[in-house]
Amino acid sequence: MASVCLNEELSCSICLSLYTVPMSLRCGHNFCRDCIVRVLDTQEEAGGYSCPECRAEYQERPALEKNRKLSNIVESFLCNHPEPEITQIFCTYCMDAPVLAVKLCLQCEMSLCEGHLTAHNKSVDHVLIDPTSSLTNRKCQIHKKLFAYHCCEDAACVCVSCFAIGSHKGHQVESLDEAMKTKQQKLKNLLEKLTTNRAEAEEHVQSLQDRRTEVEEKAAVVTGKVTDLFMDIRRKLDILEGRVLSEVSRQTERISLQISDLIRQLEEQKDELSRRMGHIEELCNATDPLTVLQDRESDSNEKESDTESDATMTYPVDDLDDCLISVTLHAGLSDILTAGKRTSCIPEAADMLLDINTSNCYISVSRDKKSASSSNVELNYPQNRMRFTDYRVVLSSTRFGSGQHCWEVGVSASKYWGVGVAYSSIEREGKQSRIGYNRKSWCLRMSDDGYTVMHNSVCTNLQLVTPVQTVRIYLDYEAGRLSFYQLCDAIRHLYTFSATFSEPLHAAFKVFSAGWVRINS
């Protein structure tokens, strides 16, 4: 506010701008040198001189003296408050002294100050706009006439001649005001969509922040459990404790970075939406039809908003893999099995056997019912309704209807195999009996396509560095989670299915092309 008042004090009363080489008259009033010289020249032709501000009269042309103190003040003010570059438009009718125009009449193509605007409005009712130095964008380049209509077919502003005899003859047109109202209504609708999109973005940001808190809290709980366990067996497990906590920290950091990246993307989206909303609000409040109709950014915004509003916005975030943490811990506790069981509470794979009554006749099941391999000849298994007839599949005799379970399977490194789970009600013949090709089974397999996971015929390729020799499968029935891990020097998570299990599950195995699998004890 203080700078505004000072600006007024340092402005010339003739041009209404900051002093440029301020000159003083004997009466004490100051003016820009060019402004006062121009006024005195005009007065000289009239035969008398006076101060433009106080009207003090002079018999002779008054001497001008540069006001150095005021010049220094203006220079200092400009250093601290630089003036924006504004093209000044002066009133066409003010010949004696330049006066800034406040409006431009489109019909007369004249710039008008406040005084001449009042007189103009009393005589005619023309369209007035803000002063401008050029009307090029308001005139037809062909007929040199002002735009009067908006062509609905070509979405272009046209003059009377364009509509009557030009290229838009016979087209449907509407007045500029009608076209502006139509577009402003569209812009208002677009603004509502953008407002909704921004609100949804804010909700997603809050949801992601809550999710990050949940993950961090869960990580803290897991870390606490692991720490409590190692307090009892600190002497032997210092190294293992470090590995487990490092895994927790690594996963937490990875998920936190993932969430932060999603939040950053949504914040950028919010900023862009706010910018676009501000631009549209300016268009909605505009009084000039051409400013609204010739804005192309809002048209592209409307198309982008339709695309964005139709899209389902999802922001998937990984969960803390406490299973991997438990598996890592369990693998390191072979010499202290009791402590390992307290941590994972997962039954051993030794309890699992293959159900030979389900085995396809081209699968050879070992006597201990732990191994299955592909056979080149049909085996003499008795026929029953539980046996797979068309594909080389065998199920476990164990069923899982609740709880958490884990088992390890050794697999042939270069031959074809599949491991996973299936409902008891899976078909035993036809295409629906293939593991992974229906809604009743989930599978990790090695085939011509490499390593893939499948459910309901949806296949996802896995990129592995080393061949899989041992797979650990983790099932959390209530949580609807089925995870596969590659056991090697460093346990590697391969894939996790998320589902709502509705029936008891069996471990499922398939072998073909000389492939084999073995349940590890």
Side-chain angles (χ1 to χ4, degrees), residues 129-399:
I129 63 171
D130 292 332
T132 179
S133 59
S134 174
L135 292 176
T136 303
N137 64 335
R138 297 179 174 276
K139 285 185 175 182
C140 173
Q141 297 300 311
I142 300 175
H143 304 102
K144 307 303 179 184
K145 294 182 180 180
L146 291 171
F147 291 132
Y149 299 101
H150 179 259
C151 177
C152 300
E153 297 182 21
D154 298 329
C157 297
V158 299
C159 68
V160 174
S161 296
C162 288
F163 171 58
I165 60 175
S167 59
H168 298 271
K169 181 179 180 180
H171 290 186
Q172 180 182 356
V173 298
E174 57 185 350
S175 68
L176 295 180
D177 287 337
E178 291 175 345
M180 180 182 71
K181 291 178 181 178
T182 301
K183 184 169 182 178
Q184 284 183 330
Q185 183 59 48
K186 291 182 179 179
L187 292 174
K188 290 178 181 178
N189 295 336
L190 175 59
L191 183 61
E192 292 179 0
K193 293 179 182 178
L194 294 176
T195 302
T196 301
N197 290 346
R198 186 177 67 174
E200 292 176 353
E202 291 174 349
E203 291 178 2
H204 284 298
V205 167
Q206 184 60 48
S207 176
L208 289 170
Q209 290 173 339
D210 294 342
R211 181 65 175 142
R212 177 166 58 185
T213 301
E214 292 175 3
V215 170
E216 291 173 349
E217 290 175 352
K218 187 174 182 180
V221 171
V222 174
T223 301
K225 289 181 179 180
V226 173
T227 302
D228 291 342
L229 170 64
F230 279 92
M231 287 179 61
D232 298 332
I233 49 176
R234 179 64 60 191
R235 183 176 60 86
K236 294 181 180 179
L237 300 178
D238 283 342
I239 296 177
L240 184 57
E241 179 190 23
R243 287 172 54 194
V244 174
L245 294 180
S246 176
E247 181 62 25
V248 175
S249 177
R250 182 188 68 80
Q251 291 188 31
T252 303
E253 181 179 1
R254 175 175 58 81
I255 297 172
S256 180
L257 288 174
Q258 182 184 16
I259 293 176
S260 297
D261 185 58
L262 288 173
I263 290 177
R264 177 186 60 77
Q265 295 177 26
L266 286 170
E267 292 291 356
E268 292 176 354
Q269 182 180 344
K270 285 175 55 185
D271 292 342
E272 177 61 17
L273 290 171
S274 297
R275 184 193 70 77
R276 289 159 60 184
M277 290 171 61
H279 180 67
I280 292 172
E281 287 175 350
E282 292 179 1
L283 294 176
C284 290
N285 295 328
T287 58
D288 176 24
L290 293 179
T291 300
V292 177
L293 295 173
Q294 293 181 341
D295 184 82
R296 299 309 178 200
E297 181 181 352
S298 61
D299 295 334
S300 61
N301 284 343
E302 183 176 3
K303 296 178 180 178
E304 293 174 5
S305 175
D306 290 337
T307 303
E308 294 169 0
S309 61
D310 291 339
T312 301
M313 300 176 67
T314 58
Y315 299 92
V317 178
D318 294 338
D319 192 9
L320 191 73
D321 194 351
D322 52 347
C323 175
L324 176 58
I325 297 168
S326 297
V327 169
T328 303
L329 177 61
H330 191 266
L333 292 178
S334 58
D335 57 338
I336 45 172
L337 186 57
T338 303
K341 288 183 178 180
R342 287 205 310 268
T343 303
S344 61
C345 297
I346 297 175
E348 290 299 318
D351 297 333
M352 182 181 292
L353 300 175
L354 298 176
D355 184 358
I356 196 170
N357 291 321
T358 65
S359 176
N360 178 269
C361 292
Y362 283 91
I363 290 180
S364 175
V365 178
S366 63
R367 289 186 178 183
D368 63 0
K369 299 181 180 179
K370 290 285 188 177
S371 299
S373 59
S374 180
S375 173
N376 293 326
V377 297
E378 184 176 3
L379 302 176
N380 189 24
Y381 291 145
Q383 295 299 318
N384 64 74
R385 62 183 182 85
M386 300 300 295
R387 192 173 306 284
F388 287 87
T389 60
D390 295 329
Y391 293 95
R392 301 183 184 190
V393 176
V394 60
L395 302 181
S396 68
S397 57
T398 308
R399 295 198 313 172

Side-chain angles (χ1 to χ4, degrees), residues 93 105 107-108 112 116-128:
Y93 295 100
C105 177
Q107 280 74 12
C108 303
L112 306 170
H116 289 102
L117 176 64
T118 302
H120 175 276
N121 289 344
K122 289 180 179 179
S123 59
V124 293
D125 184 16
H126 288 173
V127 177
L128 302 173

Side-chain angles (χ1 to χ4, degrees), residues 386 395 422-428 432 440 502-504 506:
M386 300 300 295
L395 302 181
Y423 288 147
S424 302
S425 63
I426 187 173
E427 300 295 332
R428 295 308 200 265
Q432 290 302 307
K440 296 185 177 184
S502 57
E503 301 178 33
H506 293 263

